[in-house]
Structure formats: C-alpha cells, structure tokens
Amino acid sequence: MRNARAAHPTRRGILAAGGAIGLGAALAACGDDDAKSDGSGDGAGTGKSGPWSFKDDRGTTVKLDSVPKNIVAFTGVAAALWDYGVQVKGVFGPTTTKDGKPDVQAGDLDVSKVTVLGNEWGKLNVEKYASLAPEVLVTTTFDTAGTLWSVPEESKDKVAKLAPSVAISVFDRQLTQPLQRMWELAESLGADMKAKKVTDAKAAFEKAAARLRAAAKAKPEIRVLAGSASADLFYVSGTNLSVDLEYFKSLGVNFVEPSEEAKKATGGWFESLSWENVDKYPADVIIMDDRASTIQPADITEGTWKQLPAVKAGQVIARSPEPILSYAKCTPLLDNLAEAIENAKKVG
C-alpha cells in the first residue's frame, strides 16, 4: 500500500491510500500482442473505419483519424473493454499476482496478451509505454479535477505528450452511469453491442438489480457495513462517493454510515478505526474489499474482528471497490449482496 506523504494528504493521496473507495492502509502512516481470444473479439476497431472521436467525462473530446488499435488502459478498464470484445495493447495497474495469475482487477483479461507497464497502482513505465506507439490511454477518474487514475504524478506530463487520454468518471455517481459510459466507449471502438453475450449480460444486470431491491425491501432491518483491512487499521466506507455503494443504497440497502466528522479527514470517503474499536458500528452483513492490496477476511488474525457478530455468523462477503465496468462483471456484485441479505440473520 502507498504511504500518505503528509499530515494533510491530498485528495489524490487519500484516494490512492484508500484504493479509491475504501479504505487503504496507507493512511495509517499520516504481452504486446493484438490477439484473438475467446470473448476478446478481433481487437479494437473491428467493423469500424474512418475518423474516431469520443467525449469523455472531463468534457475532453479526443479525435483521431481512425479508430485506435494501440490502446493502453488501466487494468480494470482493459478488463471491461475485453468483456465487450475490445483488446488493448498495454495495461497499467494491478494485473497479475505473484504466481502470475490474473489479479482480481484483471477480470477475464488474458494477461498473457498484453504488455504490463506497471503491475501496481501508480506505476507506469514511460519508456515501455512509448515503445507501444500508443494512440490513446484510457482510465478512470475519482475526482472533479479529472485526475487520471494510476497515472504517476511525476510522469503525467511525459505520458500526456505521447498520446491523448480518455477518462471515465467513477466519482460521486451511481454505478449505472459509468457502466453506460464504458458501453458507449466500447461501442465507439467497434464492439458489437448487439451481440447476444452483451445483451444477455445487460439483461442479467437488470434482473440482479431487481433482486437486490426486493431483498432490501424484504429485510430493511439488515445493516450492511463496507469495510477494508490493513495490518494496523480497519476502514469503514461511507456511501456518498462510491459508485457501487451509492447504487446499492439507491436500491434500498441499509448501510452503516461513518460519522461525517470522522470522514472529513479523508475527503468524505471513509473512517479509520483501530482494531480495538472495530465494533464501533454494529452490522449484520460486512462486505470486504477484495483487492490484493488489502488483508482478506480469512487472513485477519485480530481477536476483535473474530468476535464481531456478523463474522461469527458467517455473514461476510467480498466487495469490489473498483468494479470492472462491464455488466457481466457487475451483475455478480448485485447477486452476491442480494443473497447475503436474503439469508442474513439479525445479529448486529
């Protein structure tokens, strides 16, 4: 995890530390081939010709003479585009685990078919990036300034000179908005959005949303807490800035909310608790950050964690604070939470 630089961290620092939505341990311190593959299509630009343009969520319009084929993207964005049949050439961000398998943020992306420019947040090898002759860089943004997620601050100017960028905002909006924007981006890059696989995935998402809404309505008393674990601290996420939590809340899920005063130190994102105070907020279901940079529930050794009613009842599931923005990947997030609420007992 990344360390905060000062007692008053910048918003970018907070987001990096908390992994954007939730909650990172850092605040405690304050492939090169265009391949054909199952599900990946024939590469970017299939079926498209002529000039290409796309207006991103910063209000920036990128215009090129043709549909870009040499695309470099943040790993989670690349995984979403892959689900729609668009192959990128290079990625940056958590891509593979120590044993070489795809990181959770890589989804179904064939990591052997891409050039990894940096295998952790905030790492992007500029020389390697330049060697790919990139036509466009695509990532997300977690603030109103349109800061490019995981593009290193110290080399952002060099990166910008090599290719234009597209940013999809995942800041202070519901999940359905960036999902639609990623759909539009994939379509502009030549993806077949009428393919049965694609339309079925969208229909499944809508069905899962209805299921979660029904589960929340049937059990409004079930309180859900969004958490993340580090060696020294436990983080409780608020719902007002996170795309997944804002959407789940709109469907009626009863979330535990940290105090506004406590969230001020992190720009409104979350509250950090010592392990001695991990029981500050009673909860019936806990959804835990599933990224590799955090400690997973099975590996938490703190006795105070093990004594939490939701933990003792086995009512802990995974959460993806940086969801892969395809309908296929977001549907399980809805179904898993719906199932947890449907089966939950009041224990908090």
Side-chain angles (χ1 to χ4, degrees), residues 4-17 27 30 153 265-267:
R5 297 181 184 177
H8 300 288
T10 63
R11 174 165 298 227
R12 182 178 178 86
I14 287 169
L15 296 181
L27 284 181
C30 28
E153 184 72 23
T266 64

Side-chain angles (χ1 to χ4, degrees), residues 198 229 283:
V198 174

Side-chain angles (χ1 to χ4, degrees), residues 135-329:
E135 294 173 88
V136 67
L137 179 147
V138 189
T139 187
T140 51
T141 183
F142 282 87
D143 59 28
T144 55
T147 305
L148 298 177
W149 187 240
S150 198
V151 173
E153 184 72 23
E154 64 274 13
S155 57
K156 65 178 183 180
D157 292 338
K158 292 180 181 178
V159 169
K161 289 178 181 178
L162 293 169
S165 61
V166 165
I168 301 298
S169 179
V170 284
F171 175 71
D172 195 17
R173 60 198 59 202
Q174 294 182 18
L175 180 61
T176 46
Q177 290 178 267
L179 272 173
Q180 178 61 29
R181 293 295 283 144
M182 192 63 72
W183 174 289
E184 293 166 1
L185 176 60
E187 186 173 38
S188 79
L189 292 170
D192 180 3
M193 309 313 282
K194 295 181 180 179
K196 188 176 186 301
K197 177 182 177 180
V198 174
T199 56
D200 283 355
K202 189 171 184 179
F205 176 88
E206 293 167 352
K207 182 178 179 181
R211 178 186 179 185
L212 180 55
R213 183 184 290 108
K217 184 177 181 179
K219 288 189 172 182
E221 73 281 3
I222 297 299
R223 290 171 295 185
V224 178
L225 182 147
S228 184
S230 72
D232 300 314
L233 295 171
F234 182 79
Y235 305 88
V236 179
S237 183
T239 62
N240 59 325
L241 298 177
S242 305
V243 289
D244 61 330
L245 303 185
E246 280 201 14
Y247 183 54
F248 300 158
K249 185 178 181 179
S250 77
L251 296 175
V253 176
N254 179 13
F255 278 102
V256 171
E257 296 283 359
S259 68
E260 290 303 315
E261 183 178 357
K263 289 190 296 180
K264 284 182 181 179
T266 64
W269 289 94
F270 57 91
E271 177 180 358
S272 58
L273 300 172
S274 67
W275 283 104
E276 290 75 18
N277 296 315
V278 72
D279 61 352
K280 178 178 179 179
Y281 298 107
D284 305 295
V285 172
I286 301 176
I287 57 176
M288 289 291 289
D289 189 336
D290 67 356
R291 291 167 299 175
S293 57
T294 66
I295 300 176
Q296 296 307 296
D299 299 318
I300 298 175
T301 59
E302 298 290 341
T304 48
W305 163 261
K306 295 180 179 179
Q307 291 305 310
L308 292 178
V311 176
K312 293 173 72 174
Q315 296 178 176
V316 179
I317 65 169
R319 173 200 173 205
S320 298
E322 292 182 62
I324 295 171
L325 297 172
S326 72
Y327 288 103
K329 292 300 179 293

